Amino acid sequence: TFYYFTRLCLEKVLVQCILQSRTLSGADAINALRPFYFAVHPDFFGQHPKEREVNENSLKRLNGYLENLQKPGFRSFKPTQLTFYVREREPNSSNVQESFSTSGFRAVSFTLHTRDLLSTVLDILNSCSLSTEHIQGLNVNSQPHKEAKSALNRPIKWDKTYYSFTGFKDPEEELEQAQRVETTLISWLDGNEATAVKKLKKSLPLRKELERLKLELSHQLQLSDIRWQRSWGIAHRCSQLHSLGRLVQQRPEVLKNVKGRTVVFTDRSGMSAAGHIMLGTMDVHHHWTKIFERLPNYYKLQKRLLFLEDRISQLLGGIQVIYIEELQPLLTLEEYYETLDNFYNKLCDSRLPFHPRSLRGLQMILESDRYAPSLHEFGHFTIPTVCDPATLQWFIFAKAQEARENLKRKQEMMITEKELIDTSTEKFSLDRLYKEPSVSSAQMIDCCKRLLEESLPYLQGMHLCVSHFYSVLQDGDLCIPWNWK
């Protein structure tokens, strides 16, 4: 007994010494991850809404993981799978901030199961093929990645009989078991329901306040709707509505031209390509007031924009030019007008021989960051602004019939999706069932069909979001991947 007691004490002393030599502070971790943040930060994906949404969600979960690592005595770790869209590096740039391309990116998925900050940082950087050399400049024992990954919280590897005799858990065996067991919907809900319920209950008063403020302002200003571009928390949204409410009280005369419009809280102020009033959340009342004062001029520009869309449509055989908020970058009215104007002038110069109204009923969107035309599963053409006119003509003619079939299937799919959402909401007594913009209708339909085959009492009264990952949002919303197991 004395032998094992002595061995246990020795183990604790050695573990403490080794861990102290590998200590990485939270500030050091953030500094070490700078190249990673520059490669994945959502602000650099403004023209790619799907990839931006994925990175936003993954960063939330990563920040939660890093926060837990810094909590004293925290032991309950579960492997966390993350996916990021990582910008490609420019070959000849030494500056960290400027070394990433704004056009090319790749998807990277990895699972975190480390229990100290240093190993986690190394895991993230190596998974994204980013350099770890700068970590040597920090005051930590920067071991090779393989050693850091295997160290965990107990660098000493004891014989299996030691764990059998003492009753202590073998950390390597626990890790292997966690990696072998694939996360399932039932197991994940079982382990996270209590946390979600607690957060949801805490958010209920704020949710009611948000709904009250939204209805009050919509009625007062006769707005069509109030929306948010990004997944801000309930408290943040309430704060934004309170801010707008104060402006209404202070300067009611500047809001006389908003009747029938939609207000969108986003990253910058102006008017969007879809004709919505954008209020930048980082802007002060002075900036918002200027936007409201400019509304008459914006409305004039919008009329010119609609006329330009109609002229393009006439040149292309009646095909309708549309702007889809969920699939396209968030452009200002001025940016979108310039895009349309350049494309229109190009068409006028080429004089393509489209028969009038031959493509009536078809739809197209314009994108400036593509080089080849494509046909979306929903039936609209995605046309690059730099597309060669002859290539454009051939592609539209070749895909016209398929486009009509896709448009018809889109209508059927939208009806099916809504029916399945309503049925699932009713069966599981959900308070709300919704999806992220990056989840397609086909994926949502597949998810709901499989959900309806299950018995899930956990979901009663919950807010369920269909996403690409498992997570519990700060206000208690449950996020599940559409292709859950």
Side-chain angles (χ1 to χ4, degrees):
T1 303
F2 176 76
Y3 169 77
Y4 283 109
F5 176 77
T6 305
R7 188 170 184 177
L8 183 59
C9 292
L10 177 61
E11 176 189 4
K12 286 183 177 180
V13 171
L14 286 173
V15 168
Q16 191 63 35
C17 291
I18 294 174
L19 285 178
Q20 284 175 352
S21 70
R22 293 172 49 76
T23 296
L24 190 68
S25 69
D28 285 337
I30 291 173
N31 191 35
L33 285 173
R34 277 185 68 221
F36 167 75
Y37 287 128
F38 281 126
V40 304
H41 200 281
D43 287 352
F44 294 111
F45 289 81
Q47 295 189 358
H48 304 280
K50 173 188 170 183
E51 289 77 11
R52 178 185 184 125
E53 188 86 16
V54 169
N55 282 12
E56 280 182 351
N57 289 327
S58 292
L59 279 174
K60 287 178 187 175
R61 299 175 66 226
L62 173 59
N63 289 338
Y65 190 94
L66 294 175
E67 286 174 12
N68 285 336
L69 283 177
Q70 298 172 67
K71 291 179 182 177
F74 193 84
R75 291 289 179 268
S76 178
F77 283 90
K78 295 180 181 178
T80 300
Q81 185 174 3
L82 300 172
T83 296
F84 285 99
Y85 285 95
V86 182
R87 293 188 295 144
E88 298 287 2
R89 292 185 70 91
E90 298 288 359
N92 299 315
S93 178
S94 57
N95 185 291
V96 174
Q97 187 167 357
E98 298 175 354
S99 65
F100 293 97
S101 165
T102 56
S103 56
F105 50 80
R106 54 193 166 84
V108 174
S109 295
F110 53 90
T111 301
L112 293 178
H113 44 64
T114 46
R115 301 192 184 193
D116 65 87
L117 278 174
L118 178 58
S119 298
T120 303
V121 167
L122 290 170
D123 246 352
I124 294 168
L125 294 174
N126 279 284
S127 298
C128 296
S129 301
L130 298 172
S131 173
T132 58
E133 292 180 5
H134 60 288
I135 296 179
Q136 295 174 4
L138 302 173
N139 294 323
V140 295
N141 178 17
S142 180
Q143 299 176 7
H145 173 61
K146 187 174 180 181
E147 291 178 24
K149 187 175 181 180
S150 62
L152 299 173
N153 276 351
R154 298 171 64 108
I156 301 175
K157 186 174 181 179
W158 299 112
D159 188 89
K160 299 294 180 183
T161 55
Y162 168 71
Y163 298 105
S164 301
F165 184 87
T166 60
F168 294 120
K169 293 181 179 179
D170 184 345
E172 288 189 3
E173 191 175 304
E174 278 189 300
L175 179 58
E176 289 172 6
Q177 186 177 358
Q179 291 173 326
R180 284 196 303 268
V181 178
E182 185 177 17
T183 302
T184 65
L185 178 62
I186 302 295
S187 66
W188 187 81
L189 288 175
D190 189 49
N192 291 274
E193 181 204 13
T195 302
V197 169
K198 184 179 178 181
K199 289 184 176 181
L200 181 61
K201 284 182 178 178
K202 187 178 178 181
S203 74
L204 287 179
L206 274 177
R207 289 180 187 271
K208 289 180 181 178
E209 174 70 358
L210 178 67
E211 195 61 29
R212 184 191 68 79
L213 288 169
K214 186 176 176 182
L215 287 172
E216 189 178 281
L217 282 170
S218 295
H219 178 73
Q220 188 175 359
L221 300 174
Q222 299 183 54
L223 295 171
S224 174
D225 194 11
I226 297 177
R227 300 181 195 166
W228 286 264
Q229 180 207 359
R230 295 170 63 181
S231 304
W232 283 296
I234 304 296
H236 196 167
R237 296 186 183 203
C238 284
S239 175
Q240 291 158 3
L241 291 184
H242 277 300
S243 191
L244 178 58
R246 285 194 296 273
L247 180 59
V248 173
Q249 292 176 348
Q250 295 166 6
R251 299 289 304 276
E253 74 280 0
V254 302
L255 291 123
K256 60 185 178 181
N257 295 311
V258 301
K259 183 179 178 180
R261 293 283 167 170
T262 293
V263 167
V264 182
F265 289 97
T266 180
D267 294 327
R268 52 181 175 165
S269 298
M271 180 168 274
S272 73
H276 302 325
I277 300 167
M278 301 191 303
L279 299 181
T281 57
M282 300 301 290
D283 292 339
V284 295
H285 283 181
H286 174 67
H287 294 104
W288 288 6
T289 301
K290 281 188 173 181
I291 296 302
F292 289 124
E293 289 175 341
R294 289 183 196 146
L295 285 180
N297 291 329
Y298 278 126
Y299 296 156
K300 289 178 184 177
L301 180 60
Q302 189 179 25
K303 286 182 179 178
R304 291 168 55 194
L305 185 147
L306 293 173
F307 176 76
L308 201 52
E309 285 183 338
D310 188 56
R311 294 292 299 144
I312 292 172
S313 176
Q314 291 177 23
L315 291 173
L316 294 178
I319 190 171
Q320 182 185 7
V321 183
I322 61 174
Y323 178 84
I324 305 176
E325 290 180 279
E326 295 81 8
L327 299 177
Q328 291 183 258
L330 185 68
L331 300 176
T332 63
L333 198 66
E334 298 93 329
E335 290 169 342
Y336 189 48
Y337 181 85
E338 184 180 359
T339 298
L340 287 172
D341 190 47
N342 292 335
F343 187 70
Y344 173 68
N345 291 330
K346 191 173 185 178
L347 287 179
C348 288
D349 294 340
S350 63
R351 297 181 181 180
L352 292 174
F354 281 98
H355 190 277
R357 296 187 295 280
S358 60
L359 299 176
R360 198 171 181 179
L362 296 181
Q363 299 174 336
M364 62 169 277
I365 65 174
L366 280 174
E367 287 203 3
S368 56
D369 61 344
R370 292 177 180 263
Y371 295 93
S374 62
L375 177 62
H376 195 271
E377 62 174 342
F378 277 175
H380 61 263
F381 289 96
T382 300
I383 306 299
T385 53
V386 297
C387 185
D388 173 65
T391 303
L392 170 64
Q393 181 186 14
W394 174 86
F395 186 81
I396 291 178
F397 279 146
K399 297 286 186 177
Q401 184 56 37
E402 185 181 346
R404 294 186 192 280
E405 292 171 0
N406 285 6
L407 280 170
K408 183 179 178 181
R409 190 162 56 248
K410 172 191 174 182
Q411 299 303 320
E412 297 169 352
M413 195 176 289
M414 298 293 280
I415 293 171
T416 302
E417 181 183 8
K418 186 181 183 307
E419 288 176 348
L420 285 169
I421 289 175
D422 292 343
T423 304
S424 300
T425 302
E426 183 179 353
K427 176 180 176 179
F428 301 116
S429 300
L430 288 163
D431 197 68
R432 186 187 176 204
L433 173 59
Y434 63 105
K435 68 174 185 177
E436 289 182 351
S438 55
V439 176
S440 69
S441 289
Q443 291 170 337
M444 187 66 172
I445 288 171
D446 175 71
C447 176
C448 288
K449 281 182 177 178
R450 293 188 298 113
L451 278 175
L452 288 168
E453 296 173 358
E454 302 291 329
S455 175
L456 301 168
Y458 314 86
L459 299 180
Q460 186 173 353
M462 301 303 293
H463 290 243
L464 183 65
C465 174
V466 176
S467 174
H468 296 277
F469 318 100
Y470 286 108
S471 64
V472 178
L473 300 185
Q474 64 189 53
D475 294 305
D477 294 45
L478 287 165
C479 289
I480 64 169
W482 69 269
N483 56 345
W484 53 271
K485 304 297 183 184

